[in-house]
Amino acid sequence: MKWFLQRVLAAIAAVLAVALGAALLVRVQYNGEPASWAVSDGSNALWMGHAWVDGRYGQKELSRLKPRIVKGGISDVYVHVGPLETDGRLDPAKHPELDGFLRMFREELPDVRVSAWVGQRVEEGDLDLGDEAVRERVVEASAGMIDAGLDGVHYNFEPVPNNDPDLIELLELTRDRLPEDALLSSAVPTVEPLGGLAFTLGLLTPKDPFWSGGYLERVAEHLDQVAVMSYDTGMPTEGLYGGFVVRQTQVALDAVPEDVQLLMGVPAYPDDHVARNPEAETAAAAVRGIRLGLSDGRERRERFGTAVYADFSATDRQWRAYLDGWARPGAGPGQQQGRGG
């Protein structure tokens, strides 16, 4: 018994040491200044809420959002059309105004791609991606969105465990069934800031807190676009959060193949809960962290941008932080970056 207790205490001490080392690593990452070239090239995305396809939003709301899309260099939007039913089906009654939204949006912003944001909770009692019939229905729903005129499908299943084979099978099946020119993208969770941390913490916690870089690479190989949800991190201070985003950006740049577009998430919502301190997880800290992480690569990677979450919750202050910090940092009149900016 004494031997067992000693082993347990040693394991806990080792985990604490790793956690402390990781905290020190991420905090120091937030120092310095980003490179002048580490800014938007007009390849960014925006998550858009359900109100656009259920009739609550229309031309008035789009007129307010359009300048932000243009100035923000946003080339892709993910419009929430679900959620899926627990058996994988997508009820058309959940997006009755989809056709009208697409006509309106494309008339105003013809160069911006529109993908169907498709997802559901993946937990016991909810959607089971391990069920072959469920996966088939998810893919059928996704193909239906392309048939309805959307440019692509954006998956968002949470939580997906590290090294989960079911998501890989779903992506393979989706890629096989969608038209070749359809965009396939997915939101993914945060990645281990230190190699081996996902495995170590996975032994001690009931749910994987991170994906490994290796699993992110495997997932990305089946996609055109990956959006890392670099928020809800539990970081208590802005410095730690900013450093965490720097490290997330560095790890994701290494893991995601260069022919796959990599987007780093920017939080623009008010939620305050155990996994998020809104005073720490600011849009300003996120974009500075992304720029610092990108700067570490010594040159601008193509097919790299940000993804803002979300249109329905972003405040004027958060939009300003995004525009001034990423889309057009230091730009004066006539020098703004981004699409039409």
Side-chain angles (χ1 to χ4, degrees):
M1 183 66 180
K2 182 179 179 181
W3 172 85
F4 175 75
L5 181 59
Q6 288 174 336
R7 293 291 296 270
V8 170
L9 291 175
I12 293 173
V15 170
L16 290 175
V18 171
L20 178 59
L24 292 173
L25 172 66
V26 299
R27 180 59 185 90
V28 76
Q29 300 289 320
Y30 200 52
N31 295 325
E33 291 299 323
S36 60
W37 49 261
V39 295
S40 172
D41 66 356
S43 301
N44 306 294
L46 172 68
W47 280 282
M48 296 178 64
H50 201 82
W52 295 101
V53 296
D54 68 8
R56 285 177 289 163
Y57 282 7
Q59 187 64 55
K60 180 175 68 174
E61 288 78 15
L62 185 58
S63 296
R64 288 200 296 262
L65 183 62
K66 179 180 176 179
R68 288 168 167 167
I69 290 177
V70 172
K71 292 177 182 178
I74 291 169
S75 56
D76 285 276
V77 295
Y78 312 132
V79 181
H80 191 256
V81 295
L84 296 167
E85 303 297 321
T86 56
D87 65 359
R89 291 186 174 88
L90 179 57
D91 185 354
K94 291 183 178 177
H95 47 262
E97 299 300 323
L98 178 60
D99 289 345
F101 164 75
L102 287 174
R103 287 193 298 270
M104 174 184 69
F105 191 90
R106 286 182 170 144
E107 182 175 343
E108 295 289 335
L109 294 156
D111 296 328
V112 178
R113 290 183 297 192
V114 184
S115 292
W117 172 5
V118 176
Q120 175 58 280
R121 297 290 296 175
V122 183
E123 293 179 311
E124 186 176 353
D126 292 326
L127 193 73
D128 180 10
L129 292 182
D131 186 320
E132 183 179 354
V134 168
R135 291 197 301 271
E136 286 282 350
R137 285 189 283 266
V138 171
V139 173
E140 182 181 350
S142 301
M145 289 293 95
I146 303 301
D147 291 342
L150 286 103
D151 300 305
V153 173
H154 176 76
Y155 282 145
N156 181 201
F157 300 107
E158 300 178 54
V160 174
N162 186 39
N163 294 322
D164 179 64
D166 302 326
L167 178 61
I168 298 290
E169 290 194 25
L170 174 66
L171 295 178
E172 290 175 342
L173 185 61
T174 306
R175 174 62 75 196
D176 184 59
R177 299 284 180 81
L178 292 189
E180 187 174 344
D181 60 349
L183 181 76
L184 180 57
S185 67
S186 181
V188 301
T190 51
V191 191
E192 56 185 2
L194 291 175
L197 190 59
F199 174 78
T200 302
L201 294 180
L203 296 175
L204 300 171
T205 58
K207 294 183 180 180
D208 293 330
F210 304 115
W211 276 8
S212 66
Y215 184 58
L216 174 59
E217 181 178 8
R218 288 173 56 204
V219 168
E221 288 172 348
H222 300 284
L223 297 165
D224 300 304
Q225 199 177 67
V226 170
V228 180
M229 296 181 289
S230 40
Y231 38 76
D232 286 352
T233 64
M235 295 292 126
T237 68
E238 192 171 42
L240 278 171
Y241 173 65
F244 185 84
V245 173
V246 175
R247 188 62 187 147
Q248 286 292 294
T249 304
Q250 293 168 338
V251 174
L253 283 166
D254 287 340
V256 174
E258 292 196 7
D259 62 345
V260 177
Q261 185 176 13
L262 171 60
L263 305 170
M264 300 303 298
V266 176
Y269 57 99
D271 297 14
D272 186 351
H273 49 72
V274 67
R276 181 170 193 262
N277 174 5
E279 298 301 316
E281 286 194 2
T282 64
V287 295
R288 183 168 184 269
I290 292 166
R291 292 189 65 202
L292 285 167
L294 182 59
S295 300
D296 191 58
R298 309 303 180 197
E299 62 181 359
R300 183 64 161 84
R301 169 174 162 151
E302 295 183 6
R303 302 179 63 78
F304 179 91
T306 60
V308 179
Y309 183 86
D311 83 289
F312 54 85
S313 56
T315 65
D316 289 343
R317 180 180 179 182
Q318 289 166 332
W319 272 114
R320 281 196 305 272
Y322 171 75
L323 293 172
D324 295 343
W326 173 251
R328 52 184 188 186
Q335 298 175 315
Q336 295 173 356
Q337 301 187 35
R339 302 172 68 87

